[in-house]
Amino acid sequence: MNPAAPDGAVPRGTATPDPQARPVPGRVVVVGQGYVGLSLAVRAAASGYQVVGHDVDKERVSRLITGDSYVEDVSSARLLPLLASGAYRAGRDPADCEGFDIAVITVPTPLRDGLPDLSHIVESARMLGGHLRAGATVVLESTTYPGTTEELVAPLLEEASGLVAGRDFHLGYSPERIDPGNTRWRLDNTPKVVSGVNAASLERVTDFYGSIVDTTVQVSSCRTAEMAKLLENTFRHVNIALVNELATFAHDLDVDVWEAIDAAATKPHGFLRFLPGPGVGGHCLPIDPSYLSWWAERTAGRTFRFVELANDVNGRMPDYVVRRLTDGLRRRGRKVKGARVLLLGLAYKANTSDARETPAARIAELLLALGADVSAADPHVARSVPPASGVLDGVLRVTAGERELSAADAVVLLADHDAFDYGLIAERSAYVLDCRRRLGGDNIDVL
Ligand SMILES: NC(=O)c1ccc[n+]([C@@H]2O[C@H](COP(=O)([O-])OP(=O)(O)OC[C@H]3O[C@@H](n4cnc5c(N)ncnc54)[C@H](O)[C@@H]3O)[C@@H](O)[C@H]2O)c1
């Protein structure tokens, strides 16, 4: 399908929507009520749309129906009035999706055996296709490789509906840039890249997002929008790998990499500040760049070396953390075997409950294999909801209180949540390996 053909030229660049031109809000279906989908559904409902949040997860839907949000960026206090007014409702029954004006797909795009797994997108497109009416709009938001909207989603919708994308219904791609826990950059004030399979689709997609976010950025094709998202995540992945590898060298050469990064960051142009850490996690960095790599290899026959290298460097960071911890304990006359190690922060980064693909799981696994007695404290990650890796199930969950800190032979700061008492940690811990440079003192080693 030629994205720009049927309706003529597609505008480019940044477009700030004209409020006068906003359409009359209609019926919106958001398929997938996770970090991305629930945030979007609630934002659309608050903007005047009638929203159905559709999800296949029974427990999640039951919680949403009672106004119990499991996504920290969406408080229950925000959800409850929208439920009460009927602007938002959650459900598992595909029949609830009947008659939508706009449907947005925000389902997971994981890797299976290292390869893209688009089964959730396929299921969603088939389901929506059965409820698709002429004139409606479908948008894919899930992160995926270039070509997915036109080559996979369009034919599935067409087959299930008997309608033609771009002619009978509108179709586009708009990547999500949600950053869990970030209160400065939210869905509404983060510019949203929008695309369509043709000019009319682009206009509809822009109108929809223009009515719920401050700024939309139009691009000329769905492939461009799909690639923009992968570029953003790969850029971050590669730059984190760069400073992670540098951190390992700098330590061996007795140079303070954190100070060097701060010094470099005083350059007002041509430098962006990325910081080392215990490894990458979440849905984006450990997974999305591999979509780009897979796509490049499939289409161009060449591996994407930057992605492969970044995967390798970032994937080794948990091993490096354990090596540093083992060294630190040895210098203090202790063996890792039998040592009491307290991990602080199971989430993959500060101030979020997101523990998907968290490096803490691999670090715990390695320490347990070495015979350490591992416990963990994270005020954000619920004890009752096991994070991505089952290994954390075997780790005793505690609070980061005076008693626990004093009892540990080593404390490892992995996610620097604001909720931790850093004064207490520095004061009470015999030894801390600080992977986030939050602390200083003789008993502290910084990664
Ligand atoms: N979390 C982020 O920070 C983030 C940021 C940008 C982009 N993304 C992308 O957005 C997409 C969704 O990510 P997320 O973090 O919201 O995932 P999530 O796992 O938090 O939520 C996805 C939801 O989709 C539901 N689901 C799965 N298959 C379904 C189906 N067939 N029909 C209905 N519901 C279904 C799941 O039950 C789950 O509740 C992914 O492609 C991800 O890469 C995520």
Side-chain angles (χ1 to χ4, degrees):
M1 190 180 309
N2 179 350
D7 297 290
V10 173
R12 289 163 190 268
T14 300
T16 302
D18 171 7
Q20 304 300 322
R22 287 179 179 183
V24 177
R27 215 170 121 70
V28 172
V29 166
V30 181
V31 184
Q33 292 293 276
Y35 285 86
V36 172
L38 183 59
S39 307
L40 175 73
V42 163
R43 176 72 192 156
S47 305
Y49 291 93
Q50 289 290 313
V51 182
V52 171
H54 173 77
D55 204 292
V56 290
D57 187 313
K58 195 173 173 186
E59 194 202 324
R60 285 194 156 188
V61 170
S62 307
R63 289 183 65 175
L64 290 175
I65 285 170
T66 60
D68 176 16
S69 172
Y70 40 76
V71 171
E72 65 222 320
D73 292 342
V74 177
S75 66
S76 293
R78 206 164 144 222
L79 196 55
L80 282 164
L82 296 170
L83 282 163
S85 68
Y88 171 80
R89 68 196 165 90
R92 285 198 303 143
D93 186 352
D96 292 342
C97 301
E98 191 60 37
F100 67 82
D101 297 302
I102 296 149
V104 187
I105 302 173
T106 65
V107 293
T109 41
L111 292 172
R112 188 186 292 259
D113 300 327
L115 302 175
D117 171 8
L118 298 183
S119 58
H120 302 286
I121 293 183
V122 170
E123 278 171 34
S124 307
R126 284 204 180 113
M127 185 278 289
L128 285 174
H131 302 281
L132 186 57
R133 294 178 303 157
T137 302
V138 178
V139 189
L140 177 64
E141 279 209 12
S142 301
T143 305
T144 182
Y145 58 80
T148 307
T149 307
E150 286 164 326
E151 291 159 17
L152 181 77
V153 175
L156 288 168
L157 290 170
E158 289 175 344
E159 194 185 317
S161 66
L163 301 171
V164 177
R167 188 192 73 188
D168 303 324
F169 68 93
H170 307 287
L171 176 63
Y173 180 81
S174 178
E176 184 45 64
R177 287 171 160 167
I178 216 154
D179 181 18
N182 191 334
T183 49
R184 166 78 184 86
W185 292 108
R186 305 171 310 272
L187 172 62
D188 58 306
N189 65 357
T190 302
K192 192 108 172 66
V193 171
V194 288
S195 67
V197 296
N198 61 355
S201 294
L202 176 64
E203 196 182 319
R204 288 298 182 95
V205 175
T206 307
D207 282 349
F208 171 60
Y209 287 107
S211 67
I212 61 172
V213 304
D214 295 344
T215 310
T216 51
V217 181
Q218 294 183 329
V219 292
S220 61
S221 71
C222 295
R223 287 170 161 264
T224 307
E226 288 158 340
M227 186 180 270
K229 173 65 186 173
L230 292 179
L231 171 61
E232 289 168 19
N233 288 353
T234 304
F235 175 83
R236 196 164 164 71
H237 192 44
V238 166
N239 280 286
I240 290 173
L242 173 69
V243 290
N244 275 341
E245 189 164 35
L246 192 62
T248 64
F249 285 127
H251 177 73
D252 290 345
L253 302 173
D254 203 19
V255 176
D256 184 339
V257 72
W258 301 83
E259 193 183 2
I261 291 169
D262 283 348
T266 60
K267 186 182 178 187
H269 50 85
F271 185 82
L272 282 177
R273 186 170 175 271
F274 287 86
L275 297 175
V280 293
H283 191 302
C284 295
L285 300 195
I287 294 171
D288 300 348
S290 296
Y291 269 64
L292 192 53
S293 176
W294 175 87
W295 173 77
E297 192 159 0
R298 191 191 65 156
T299 52
R302 295 195 302 276
T303 55
F304 202 133
R305 289 172 298 161
F306 269 106
V307 173
E308 304 299 323
L309 185 60
N311 282 344
D312 185 51
V313 172
N314 289 334
R316 284 172 195 258
M317 286 313 284
D319 297 72
Y320 178 68
V321 169
V322 171
R323 204 162 69 235
R324 287 285 303 275
L325 184 72
T326 308
D327 288 350
L329 280 166
R330 197 174 43 234
R331 274 188 279 111
R332 288 163 176 84
R334 283 223 53 125
K335 286 192 173 128
V336 71
K337 186 169 184 196
R340 278 191 280 196
V341 180
L342 171 59
L343 305 179
L344 298 184
L346 294 178
Y348 77 94
K349 65 168 190 170
N351 302 328
T352 176
S353 63
D354 192 348
R356 291 177 296 181
E357 312 288 332
T358 177
R362 176 74 183 141
I363 290 166
E365 187 181 0
L366 291 167
L367 289 171
L368 289 168
L370 290 171
D373 174 1
V374 185
S375 57
D378 192 313
H380 292 277
V381 177
R383 290 169 198 232
S384 55
V385 182
S389 170
V391 72
L392 290 176
D393 295 349
V395 171
L396 179 69
R397 300 289 298 276
V398 297
T399 52
E402 208 172 317
R403 196 162 47 92
E404 291 78 9
L405 292 165
S406 306
D409 297 304
V411 171
V412 190
L413 179 61
L414 295 174
D416 53 337
H417 298 312
D418 291 342
F420 288 134
D421 183 340
Y422 291 99
L424 190 72
I425 294 168
E427 194 187 307
R428 295 291 166 186
S429 310
Y431 162 52
V432 183
L433 176 61
D434 176 2
C435 301
R436 302 291 181 179
R437 199 195 38 178
R438 282 293 286 247
L439 303 160
D442 291 343
N443 57 336
I444 315 287
D445 277 353
V446 177
L447 192 70

